[in-house]
Amino acid sequence: MTIRHVSLDFEKRDPGERSLIPAHGCRLDYHCHAAASRQARLQGRLALDPDVDLADYTMQAVIDWIELGFVTEDRHQSLNIGGHINKTLAKAGWRKDSHVHGVERKDGYLGQVFLVRVNDPTPEKIRRVCSAIQSF
């Protein structure tokens, strides 16, 4: 295994910000080894594993969307449930950007088992969606 180095260039408007980046943060090291694959087209290729110390970084996760599953007593069309949920969201000031479908994720679903994807979820938005589902 060999180590390869890749220099990283940073564009900062303020030259003072450049001094905040540690010296070891201006390059990225990779451990280089033969790629392990049974596919003929990948034979002889190299795999590069980045050597990154995650302790150098502050991590933060943001939830982009969340998907909720639910079951109704009667059969319904996903389009009708989605319309009801989106109207509820619009009344509360949110975009009408939820999407309802069956577990096979196909449009036009008619049944009792549904998934709703809620974009940019907040606790209050999720509460509104759940309330809309219960009132359908």
Side-chain angles (χ1 to χ4, degrees):
M1 181 183 298
T2 60
I3 296 179
R4 308 278 173 134
H5 309 286
V6 176
S7 295
L8 304 176
D9 294 322
F10 296 94
E11 291 184 20
K12 298 287 183 184
R13 293 182 186 175
D14 180 359
E17 288 181 28
R18 182 74 164 95
S19 66
L20 298 175
I21 300 171
H24 68 279
C26 294
R27 78 171 201 213
L28 187 57
D29 297 337
Y30 288 88
H31 296 280
C32 180
H33 56 88
S37 176
R38 294 181 184 178
Q39 295 182 24
R41 66 184 184 88
L42 298 179
Q43 295 300 315
R45 292 195 184 187
L46 296 177
L48 300 175
D49 297 325
D51 184 18
V52 178
D53 184 0
L54 295 179
D56 289 342
Y57 301 92
T58 302
M59 305 298 170
Q60 180 180 12
V62 176
I63 299 173
D64 188 39
W65 55 266
I66 191 166
E67 201 166 62
L68 307 170
F70 60 97
V71 178
T72 61
E73 288 183 21
D74 299 319
R75 292 170 53 93
H76 295 283
Q77 288 187 339
S78 59
L79 184 65
N80 294 339
I81 296 176
H84 178 69
I85 291 171
N86 282 322
K87 283 179 189 175
T88 301
L89 292 177
K91 286 179 185 176
W94 284 294
R95 292 187 324 239
K96 298 191 280 186
D97 60 355
S98 70
H99 183 72
V100 177
H101 45 83
V103 293
E104 293 182 0
R105 292 179 167 73
K106 294 181 181 175
D107 290 333
Y109 173 73
L110 174 65
Q112 293 176 267
V113 182
F114 297 91
L115 298 172
V116 59
R117 180 173 288 189
V118 182
N119 294 304
D120 303 320
T122 63
E124 179 58 27
K125 191 174 184 182
I126 296 301
R127 278 192 285 278
R128 296 278 178 139
V129 168
C130 290
S131 177
I133 292 167
Q134 289 176 333
S135 70
F136 190 77

